[in-house]
């Protein structure tokens, strides 16, 4: 819930909110380390802790950060491949309809209607709540019904009929995969674990530098700046069809424009 609220914000606000969280943590640790009635307790806890101890938690944090980053980037790449595949299969359907002997203007009309619905209705719906658009499902059903017409096999031949039907089914499969990626929700547990490890790393830094307030403040600030930058950049890739780096419907739209120009 909190993660979704954070990911829904613009880039500058994502950085600002996360910076506020880390600033509050750093301030709390600095206050606990320097107030007269808490300073002795903090120094007692810090007694005997050597600087290399910071690396123990930091290694765990870096490993999990790498895993989360790879997961986000892979989802982004997969979504990009799916969009390009949908575009490619749509063009294949169009090319087959042009190359076949019988007139397939009806199929091309259904294909253009499907692409129109994807760009104008389904893409905004995916960006809003990750849902599909009923109009796109209906348009795809009409396209599949037209491509599966037995008269196509009789007039164009079995080979063309099979290739056309296969291209439409691949188009349907690409759309289903796109919708699955759009509907997938972010795993809050991995982000919560990242935050817990970051807090533990901040705490270990504060304890190691407990007797040197200026060094403590500097190291806390540097670590916080690095974590805010890293986590915010990863979060920008967390949702491939929503957010600041969301994939656009431009490849589908350009394919539709090229088809329309080819029919004139």
């Amino acid at each position: 819930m909190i993660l979704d609220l954070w990911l829904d914000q613009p880039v500058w606000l994502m950085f600002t909110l996360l910076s506020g969280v880390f600033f509050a943590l750093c301030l709390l640790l600095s206050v606990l380390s320097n107030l007269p009635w808490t300073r002795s307790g903090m120094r007692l806890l810090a007694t005997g802790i050597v600087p290399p101890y910071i690396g123990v938690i930091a290694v765990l944090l870096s490993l999990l950060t790498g895993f989360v980053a790879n997961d986000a980037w892979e989802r982004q790449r997969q979504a990009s491949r799916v969009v390009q595949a949908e575009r490619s299969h749509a063009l294949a359907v169009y090319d087959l309809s042009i190359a076949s002997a019988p007139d397939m203007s009806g199929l091309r009309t259904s294909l253009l209607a499907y692409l129109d619905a994807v760009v104008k209705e389904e893409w905004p719906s995916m960006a809003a709540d990750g849902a599909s658009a009923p109009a796109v499902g209906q348009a795809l059903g009409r396209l599949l019904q037209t491509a599966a017409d037995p008269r196509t096999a009789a007039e164009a031949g079995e080979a063309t009929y099979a290739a056309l039907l296969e291209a439409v089914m691949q188009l349907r499969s690409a759309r289903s995969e796109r919708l699955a990626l759009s509907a997938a929700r972010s795993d809050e547990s991995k982000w919560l674990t990242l935050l817990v490890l970051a807090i533990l790393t901040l705490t270990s830094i504060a304890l190691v530098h407990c007797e040197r307030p200026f060094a403590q403040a500097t190291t806390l600030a540097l670590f916080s700046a690095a974590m805010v930058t890293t986590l915010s950049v990863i979060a920008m890739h967390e949702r491939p069809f929503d957010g600041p780096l969301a994939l656009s419907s431009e490849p589908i739209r350009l394919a539709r424009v090229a088809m329309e120009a080819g029919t004139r």
Side-chain angles (χ1 to χ4, degrees):
M1 184 68 178
I2 296 177
L3 176 62
D4 289 335
L5 181 63
W6 179 52
L7 293 175
D8 286 337
Q9 308 307 315
V11 176
W12 69 269
L13 192 52
M14 289 173 62
F15 275 85
T16 302
L17 291 174
L18 195 58
S19 298
V21 171
F22 275 87
F23 175 77
L25 292 171
C26 292
L27 183 61
L28 176 63
L29 290 170
S30 296
V31 168
L32 291 175
S33 300
N34 294 284
L35 284 179
W37 54 85
T38 57
R39 181 171 53 202
S40 58
M42 288 288 288
R43 292 186 178 181
L44 180 62
L45 289 174
T47 302
I49 298 180
V50 294
Y53 173 74
I54 301 175
V56 176
I57 305 175
V59 167
L60 295 176
L61 177 62
S62 62
L63 289 174
L64 183 59
T65 302
F67 167 76
V68 174
N70 181 71
D71 184 48
W73 259 273
E74 179 57 33
R75 192 182 301 110
Q76 189 89 4
R77 287 192 294 267
Q78 187 178 0
S80 180
R81 288 194 296 267
V82 166
V83 172
Q84 292 299 329
E86 188 171 8
R87 171 186 177 275
S88 176
H89 294 316
L91 289 173
V93 173
Y94 177 81
D95 291 340
L96 284 168
S97 71
I98 292 292
S100 61
D103 179 25
M104 291 193 179
S105 57
L107 184 138
R108 289 191 292 274
T109 300
S110 298
L111 178 61
L112 293 177
Y114 165 76
L115 297 178
D116 269 340
V118 167
V119 173
K120 296 178 181 178
E121 298 189 35
E122 190 155 76
W123 225 269
S125 178
M126 288 195 310
D129 53 13
S132 61
V136 178
Q138 295 169 5
L140 183 59
R142 288 192 294 270
L143 176 63
L144 182 57
Q145 185 177 12
T146 305
D149 190 340
R151 288 176 296 181
T152 304
E155 297 175 4
E158 289 293 338
T160 301
Y161 175 74
L164 182 62
L165 199 56
E166 175 65 18
V168 174
M169 293 303 296
Q170 291 289 344
L171 178 65
R172 179 178 180 272
S173 177
R175 177 191 177 241
S176 297
E177 190 172 353
R178 168 170 56 79
L179 291 175
L181 287 170
S182 175
R185 295 292 89 190
S186 300
D187 184 2
E188 294 197 10
S189 63
K190 63 184 180 183
W191 286 94
L192 179 60
T193 307
L194 270 179
L195 186 59
V196 170
L197 288 176
I199 293 172
L200 292 176
T201 306
L202 279 173
T203 304
S204 64
I205 292 173
L207 290 173
V208 167
H209 298 89
C210 191
E211 296 183 357
R212 296 175 293 277
F214 291 108
Q216 183 190 68
T218 301
T219 52
L220 289 176
L222 289 174
F223 176 78
S224 297
M227 287 305 301
V228 167
T229 303
T230 302
L231 295 182
S232 297
V233 171
I234 294 174
M236 290 165 60
H237 294 81
E238 182 71 15
R239 294 177 175 176
F241 295 104
D242 185 18
L245 297 181
L247 296 172
S248 74
S249 60
E250 193 65 8
I252 306 295
R253 189 190 68 81
L254 290 178
R256 194 246 183 266
V257 170
M259 293 176 194
E260 190 176 26
T263 58
R264 292 176 180 174

